[in-house]
Short mmCIF file of all heavy atoms in Angstrom, two decimals:
data_model
loop_
_atom_site.label_atom_id
_atom_site.label_comp_id
_atom_site.label_asym_id
_atom_site.label_seq_id
_atom_site.Cartn_x
_atom_site.Cartn_y
_atom_site.Cartn_z
N SER A 1 -233.71 -131.43 20.49
CA SER A 1 -233.36 -132.66 21.20
C SER A 1 -232.01 -133.23 20.78
O SER A 1 -231.52 -134.18 21.39
CB SER A 1 -234.43 -133.73 20.96
OG SER A 1 -235.69 -133.29 21.46
N VAL A 2 -231.42 -132.66 19.70
CA VAL A 2 -230.13 -133.15 19.20
C VAL A 2 -229.21 -131.97 18.93
O VAL A 2 -229.66 -130.82 18.83
CB VAL A 2 -230.31 -133.99 17.93
CG1 VAL A 2 -231.06 -135.28 18.23
CG2 VAL A 2 -231.03 -133.20 16.84
N SER A 3 -227.93 -132.27 18.77
CA SER A 3 -226.96 -131.22 18.48
C SER A 3 -226.53 -131.21 17.02
O SER A 3 -225.81 -130.31 16.60
CB SER A 3 -225.73 -131.38 19.38
OG SER A 3 -225.14 -132.64 19.18
N ILE A 4 -226.95 -132.21 16.24
CA ILE A 4 -226.63 -132.26 14.81
C ILE A 4 -227.63 -131.42 14.03
O ILE A 4 -228.71 -131.09 14.54
CB ILE A 4 -226.61 -133.71 14.30
CG1 ILE A 4 -227.96 -134.39 14.58
CG2 ILE A 4 -225.46 -134.49 14.91
CD1 ILE A 4 -228.06 -135.80 14.01
N PRO A 5 -227.32 -131.07 12.77
CA PRO A 5 -228.26 -130.26 11.99
C PRO A 5 -229.58 -130.99 11.73
O PRO A 5 -229.62 -132.20 11.55
CB PRO A 5 -227.51 -130.02 10.67
CG PRO A 5 -226.07 -130.21 11.00
CD PRO A 5 -226.04 -131.27 12.05
N VAL A 6 -230.65 -130.21 11.72
CA VAL A 6 -231.98 -130.72 11.40
C VAL A 6 -232.56 -129.89 10.26
O VAL A 6 -232.52 -128.66 10.29
CB VAL A 6 -232.92 -130.66 12.62
CG1 VAL A 6 -234.36 -130.99 12.22
CG2 VAL A 6 -232.44 -131.63 13.71
N LEU A 7 -233.08 -130.59 9.24
CA LEU A 7 -233.80 -129.96 8.14
C LEU A 7 -235.29 -130.13 8.37
O LEU A 7 -235.72 -131.15 8.93
CB LEU A 7 -233.42 -130.59 6.80
CG LEU A 7 -231.95 -130.57 6.40
CD1 LEU A 7 -231.76 -131.34 5.08
CD2 LEU A 7 -231.44 -129.14 6.25
N ALA A 8 -236.07 -129.17 7.93
CA ALA A 8 -237.53 -129.23 8.07
C ALA A 8 -238.18 -129.44 6.72
O ALA A 8 -237.80 -128.80 5.73
CB ALA A 8 -238.05 -127.94 8.70
N ASN A 9 -239.16 -130.33 6.69
CA ASN A 9 -239.87 -130.64 5.45
C ASN A 9 -241.37 -130.49 5.68
O ASN A 9 -241.89 -130.85 6.72
CB ASN A 9 -239.53 -132.08 5.04
CG ASN A 9 -240.19 -132.51 3.75
OD1 ASN A 9 -240.54 -133.67 3.59
ND2 ASN A 9 -240.36 -131.60 2.80
N GLY A 10 -242.04 -129.93 4.64
CA GLY A 10 -243.49 -129.80 4.70
C GLY A 10 -243.95 -128.37 4.56
O GLY A 10 -243.54 -127.50 5.33
N GLY A 11 -244.77 -128.10 3.55
CA GLY A 11 -245.41 -126.79 3.42
C GLY A 11 -244.54 -125.67 2.91
O GLY A 11 -244.86 -124.50 3.12
N ILE A 12 -243.45 -125.98 2.20
CA ILE A 12 -242.56 -124.92 1.69
C ILE A 12 -242.87 -124.67 0.22
O ILE A 12 -242.47 -125.44 -0.66
CB ILE A 12 -241.07 -125.30 1.87
CG1 ILE A 12 -240.77 -125.66 3.33
CG2 ILE A 12 -240.18 -124.15 1.38
CD1 ILE A 12 -240.98 -124.52 4.31
N PHE A 13 -243.58 -123.58 -0.05
CA PHE A 13 -243.96 -123.22 -1.42
C PHE A 13 -243.41 -121.86 -1.83
O PHE A 13 -243.39 -121.53 -3.01
CB PHE A 13 -245.48 -123.22 -1.58
CG PHE A 13 -246.09 -124.60 -1.52
CD1 PHE A 13 -246.49 -125.15 -0.32
CD2 PHE A 13 -246.24 -125.35 -2.68
CE1 PHE A 13 -247.03 -126.42 -0.26
CE2 PHE A 13 -246.79 -126.62 -2.64
CZ PHE A 13 -247.19 -127.16 -1.42
N THR A 14 -243.01 -121.05 -0.85
CA THR A 14 -242.50 -119.70 -1.12
C THR A 14 -241.37 -119.39 -0.16
O THR A 14 -241.17 -120.09 0.84
CB THR A 14 -243.60 -118.63 -0.93
OG1 THR A 14 -243.97 -118.61 0.46
CG2 THR A 14 -244.83 -118.94 -1.79
N LEU A 15 -240.64 -118.31 -0.44
CA LEU A 15 -239.61 -117.87 0.50
C LEU A 15 -240.22 -117.46 1.83
O LEU A 15 -239.60 -117.63 2.89
CB LEU A 15 -238.82 -116.69 -0.10
CG LEU A 15 -237.85 -117.02 -1.22
CD1 LEU A 15 -237.12 -115.75 -1.66
CD2 LEU A 15 -236.84 -118.09 -0.81
N ALA A 16 -241.44 -116.95 1.81
CA ALA A 16 -242.12 -116.59 3.06
C ALA A 16 -242.39 -117.84 3.90
O ALA A 16 -242.27 -117.80 5.14
CB ALA A 16 -243.43 -115.85 2.76
N ASP A 17 -242.76 -118.93 3.25
CA ASP A 17 -242.95 -120.19 3.97
C ASP A 17 -241.64 -120.63 4.63
O ASP A 17 -241.63 -121.11 5.77
CB ASP A 17 -243.43 -121.29 3.02
CG ASP A 17 -244.81 -121.03 2.46
OD1 ASP A 17 -245.61 -120.34 3.13
OD2 ASP A 17 -245.09 -121.53 1.35
N ALA A 18 -240.54 -120.51 3.88
CA ALA A 18 -239.24 -120.88 4.43
C ALA A 18 -238.87 -120.00 5.62
O ALA A 18 -238.41 -120.50 6.66
CB ALA A 18 -238.17 -120.78 3.35
N ASP A 19 -239.10 -118.70 5.50
CA ASP A 19 -238.79 -117.79 6.60
C ASP A 19 -239.61 -118.13 7.85
O ASP A 19 -239.09 -118.09 8.98
CB ASP A 19 -239.07 -116.34 6.18
CG ASP A 19 -238.06 -115.82 5.18
OD1 ASP A 19 -236.97 -116.41 5.08
OD2 ASP A 19 -238.37 -114.82 4.49
N GLU A 20 -240.88 -118.46 7.65
CA GLU A 20 -241.71 -118.82 8.80
C GLU A 20 -241.19 -120.09 9.47
O GLU A 20 -241.16 -120.19 10.70
CB GLU A 20 -243.16 -119.01 8.38
CG GLU A 20 -244.08 -119.34 9.56
CD GLU A 20 -245.54 -119.41 9.19
OE1 GLU A 20 -245.86 -119.44 7.98
OE2 GLU A 20 -246.38 -119.44 10.11
N MET A 21 -240.76 -121.05 8.66
CA MET A 21 -240.22 -122.28 9.22
C MET A 21 -238.96 -122.00 10.04
O MET A 21 -238.81 -122.51 11.16
CB MET A 21 -239.91 -123.28 8.10
CG MET A 21 -239.40 -124.63 8.57
SD MET A 21 -240.61 -125.59 9.51
CE MET A 21 -241.64 -126.20 8.17
N TYR A 22 -238.08 -121.17 9.51
CA TYR A 22 -236.87 -120.82 10.26
C TYR A 22 -237.21 -120.11 11.56
O TYR A 22 -236.66 -120.41 12.63
CB TYR A 22 -235.95 -119.94 9.41
CG TYR A 22 -235.25 -120.66 8.30
CD1 TYR A 22 -235.37 -120.22 6.98
CD2 TYR A 22 -234.47 -121.78 8.55
CE1 TYR A 22 -234.72 -120.88 5.94
CE2 TYR A 22 -233.82 -122.45 7.52
CZ TYR A 22 -233.95 -121.99 6.23
OH TYR A 22 -233.31 -122.65 5.20
N ASN A 23 -238.12 -119.15 11.49
CA ASN A 23 -238.48 -118.36 12.66
C ASN A 23 -239.14 -119.20 13.76
O ASN A 23 -238.94 -118.95 14.95
CB ASN A 23 -239.40 -117.21 12.26
CG ASN A 23 -238.71 -116.16 11.41
OD1 ASN A 23 -237.49 -116.03 11.46
ND2 ASN A 23 -239.48 -115.44 10.60
N ARG A 24 -239.91 -120.20 13.35
CA ARG A 24 -240.67 -120.98 14.34
C ARG A 24 -239.96 -122.24 14.82
O ARG A 24 -240.37 -122.82 15.83
CB ARG A 24 -242.03 -121.34 13.77
CG ARG A 24 -242.89 -120.09 13.49
CD ARG A 24 -244.25 -120.42 12.93
NE ARG A 24 -245.09 -121.15 13.87
CZ ARG A 24 -246.38 -121.39 13.69
NH1 ARG A 24 -246.98 -120.95 12.60
NH2 ARG A 24 -247.07 -122.07 14.58
N THR A 25 -238.91 -122.66 14.10
CA THR A 25 -238.25 -123.92 14.49
C THR A 25 -236.75 -123.80 14.73
O THR A 25 -236.18 -124.62 15.45
CB THR A 25 -238.47 -125.00 13.42
OG1 THR A 25 -237.79 -124.61 12.20
CG2 THR A 25 -239.95 -125.20 13.12
N GLY A 26 -236.09 -122.84 14.09
CA GLY A 26 -234.65 -122.70 14.26
C GLY A 26 -233.83 -123.76 13.54
O GLY A 26 -232.67 -124.01 13.90
N VAL A 27 -234.39 -124.39 12.51
CA VAL A 27 -233.70 -125.47 11.81
C VAL A 27 -232.55 -124.94 10.95
O VAL A 27 -232.42 -123.74 10.71
CB VAL A 27 -234.67 -126.27 10.93
CG1 VAL A 27 -235.65 -127.05 11.78
CG2 VAL A 27 -235.41 -125.35 9.94
N ALA A 28 -231.72 -125.88 10.47
CA ALA A 28 -230.54 -125.52 9.68
C ALA A 28 -230.86 -125.36 8.20
O ALA A 28 -230.05 -124.81 7.44
CB ALA A 28 -229.45 -126.57 9.85
N GLY A 29 -232.02 -125.85 7.78
CA GLY A 29 -232.40 -125.75 6.37
C GLY A 29 -233.82 -126.21 6.16
O GLY A 29 -234.43 -126.83 7.04
N VAL A 30 -234.35 -125.91 4.98
CA VAL A 30 -235.72 -126.33 4.65
C VAL A 30 -235.69 -127.16 3.38
O VAL A 30 -234.89 -126.93 2.47
CB VAL A 30 -236.68 -125.14 4.48
CG1 VAL A 30 -236.85 -124.39 5.79
CG2 VAL A 30 -236.20 -124.19 3.39
N MET A 31 -236.59 -128.12 3.32
CA MET A 31 -236.69 -129.03 2.18
C MET A 31 -238.06 -128.86 1.54
O MET A 31 -239.08 -128.85 2.22
CB MET A 31 -236.51 -130.47 2.67
CG MET A 31 -236.70 -131.53 1.61
SD MET A 31 -236.53 -133.20 2.28
CE MET A 31 -234.75 -133.36 2.39
#
């Protein structure tokens, strides 16, 4: 909905969790 970077927060405990977040949301980073 926006053109600025978005970070995702919640449920990041491993690199696999981070990869899943990127794959499912397309965000610029994970917190």
Side-chain angles (χ1 to χ4, degrees):
S1 299
V2 294
S3 58
I4 57 176
V6 171
L7 302 176
N9 181 213
I12 306 297
F13 290 89
T14 65
L15 287 182
D17 294 333
D19 289 341
E20 182 175 13
M21 183 66 77
Y22 287 125
N23 292 336
R24 296 180 65 171
T25 66
V27 292
V30 295
M31 176 182 281

